[in-house]
């Protein structure tokens, strides 16, 4: 059996996530304390006792989800399940930073600061209301890419997330994304609906944020990963820190090739994928990508013990 660890992206955040891990495992609590110190504010209080409207802000959700994922990794380690139990690590959008942190490429503090910068830069790149994202269900990536190209009409409209065989997200100017929804429905999409996000992520409108992240990443130490990373924009294994740095910059404007990433891992011997941190959204995508790959969510102390005993 070959296992991969994967890490969720924005949308998985919930008030209270990770608290049981912090209560059960000192090493998990230390992660939240380190993130609080790195950011100079009690993010853990927001995660555990705050309000959802504040938590979902991009600049908060990104480091919060990473902290929860790394807290789960530390709990696994406390139970004797190290990162070397995985053949590969990967993450969905911001989850790629969690994967890199788990693999030892970034420190927890550096990852928290990078994600705070990334969240702010992505939010500030496009004024609220100018951009949008929409999920298209029932069409594959190639079909949605054609829809997006037709809908653009001089504006930005791109297929941004290739989540699974029947779920693709488009991103760009709001009017263009709305046109894409109507065109997709006419092409046989089961559903096409705008998503409740604050900016058009993973498209050319994020170029100002990519410039910010290029500068931020240049100032951070990156070590070789303990296990091979499968980056979003490459959808194939990579272990060179210099290459991984560049791919993180590309990721800001590039498509999240999640379907291809999971297929690549399965094609390279992975038979089970563990979703580390909050929620189970990635597990659902993985099952739709390859039914032969088993999934396991690891986000609570009970999950950790079950994983240890598996």
């Amino acid at each position: 059996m070959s296992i991969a660890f994967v890490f969720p992206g924005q949308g998985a955040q919930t008030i209270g996530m990770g608290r049981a891990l912090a209560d059960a495992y000192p090493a998990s609590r230390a992660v939240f304390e380190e993130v609080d110190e790195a950011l100079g504010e009690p993010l853990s209080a927001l995660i555990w006792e705050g309000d959802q409207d504040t938590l979902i802000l991009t600049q908060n959700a990104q480091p919060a989800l990473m902290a929860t994922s790394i807290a789960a990794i530390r709990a696994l380690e406390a139970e004797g399940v190290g990162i070397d139990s995985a053949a590969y690590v990967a993450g969905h959008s911001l989850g790629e930073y969690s994967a890199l942190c788990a693999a030892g490429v970034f420190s927890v503090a550096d990852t928290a600061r990078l994600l705070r910068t990334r969240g702010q830069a992505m939010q500030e790149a496009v004024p609220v209301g100018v951009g949008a994202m929409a999920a298209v269900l029932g069409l594959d990536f190639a079909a949605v890419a054609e829809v997006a190209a037709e809908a653009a009409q001089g504006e930005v409209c791109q297929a941004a997330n290739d989540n699974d065989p029947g779920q693709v997200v488009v991103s760009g100017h709001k009017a263009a994304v709305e046109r894409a929804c109507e065109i997709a429905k006419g092409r046989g999409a089961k559903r096409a609906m705008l998503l409740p996000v604050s900016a058009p992520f993973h498209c050319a409108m994020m170029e100002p944020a990519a410039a910010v992240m290029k500068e931020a990443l240049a100032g951070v130490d990156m070590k070789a990963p303990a296990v091979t990373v499968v980056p979003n924009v490459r959808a194939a294994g990579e272990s060179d820190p210099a290459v991984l740095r560049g791919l993180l910059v590309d990721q800001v404007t590039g498509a999240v090739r999640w379907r291809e990433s999971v297929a690549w891992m399965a094609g390279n011997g992975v038979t089970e994928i563990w979703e580390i941190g909050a929620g189970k959204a990635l597990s659902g995508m993985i099952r739709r990508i390859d039914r032969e790959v088993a999934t396991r969510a690891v986000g609570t102390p009970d999950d950790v013990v079950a994983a240890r005993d598996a």
Side-chain angles (χ1 to χ4, degrees), residues 97 113-119 121-122 207-219 245 248-249 252:
Y97 284 79
R113 287 189 287 263
L114 284 169
L115 285 173
R116 171 56 57 83
T117 298
R118 183 177 183 267
M122 293 173 91
E207 286 177 0
V212 170
M213 291 312 299
K214 183 176 182 179
E215 182 176 352
L217 286 158
R245 191 191 307 268
L248 285 175
V249 177
V252 179

Side-chain angles (χ1 to χ4, degrees), residues 5-304:
F5 290 175
V6 301
F7 300 83
Q10 209 160 328
Q13 65 275 353
T14 57
I15 295 296
M17 64 183 182
R19 185 163 198 167
L21 290 169
D23 289 343
Y25 295 96
S28 298
R29 178 170 290 276
V31 171
F32 288 101
E33 292 171 350
E34 188 171 354
V35 169
D36 287 352
E37 183 175 353
L39 298 180
E41 63 182 70
L43 184 67
S44 59
L46 170 62
I47 299 169
W48 297 336
E49 301 165 357
D51 66 277
Q52 185 73 6
D53 287 343
T54 305
L55 180 62
I56 64 173
L57 295 175
T58 303
Q59 66 192 55
N60 293 328
Q62 296 200 16
L65 284 162
M66 180 278 297
T68 303
S69 287
I70 301 304
I73 284 288
R74 296 292 181 261
L76 284 168
E77 291 171 347
E79 296 289 358
V81 182
I83 192 67
D84 57 357
S85 300
Y88 303 103
V89 294
H92 192 281
S93 192
L94 83 90
E96 189 167 308
Y97 284 79
S98 305
L100 290 164
C101 182
V105 176
F106 294 129
S107 69
V108 171
D110 281 343
T111 311
R113 287 189 287 263
L114 284 169
L115 285 173
R116 171 56 57 83
T117 298
R118 183 177 183 267
Q120 290 173 332
M122 293 173 91
Q123 187 62 65
E124 293 168 1
V126 180
V128 174
V130 173
M133 299 182 79
V136 178
L137 307 182
L139 297 179
D140 64 19
F141 185 78
V144 175
E146 289 182 3
V147 166
E150 182 177 330
Q153 298 180 20
E155 295 183 311
V156 173
C157 191
Q158 295 171 228
N161 292 13
D162 185 6
N163 285 336
D164 63 45
Q167 183 190 126
V168 180
V169 174
V170 295
S171 183
H173 285 98
K174 186 176 181 182
V177 171
E178 289 173 340
R179 288 193 293 270
C181 288
E182 293 310 307
I183 294 169
K185 291 173 185 175
R187 300 266 178 96
K190 294 177 182 176
R191 293 183 70 189
M193 62 278 192
L194 293 178
L195 295 173
V197 297
S198 55
F201 305 128
H202 299 291
C203 76
M205 296 177 77
M206 287 287 111
E207 286 177 0
V212 170
M213 291 312 299
K214 183 176 182 179
E215 182 176 352
L217 286 158
V220 174
D221 181 47
M222 293 180 67
K223 297 180 170 61
V227 297
T228 300
V229 181
V230 183
N232 287 177
V233 298
R234 176 71 59 81
E238 181 57 62
S239 295
D240 183 334
V243 175
L244 290 168
R245 191 191 307 268
L247 294 176
L248 285 175
V249 177
D250 294 343
Q251 188 218 54
V252 179
T253 56
V256 176
R257 297 168 61 186
W258 189 250
R259 176 184 57 82
E260 293 176 274
S261 296
V262 171
W264 186 90
M265 289 187 284
N268 281 271
V270 169
T271 55
E272 186 169 332
I273 297 180
W274 295 9
E275 183 171 2
I276 311 294
K280 300 179 181 179
L282 297 184
S283 296
M285 293 177 194
I286 291 162
R287 287 192 292 272
R288 290 188 290 272
I289 294 165
D290 190 335
R291 293 182 181 277
E292 298 300 313
V293 176
T295 60
R296 175 185 296 275
V298 184
T300 68
D302 286 346
D303 294 339
V304 171

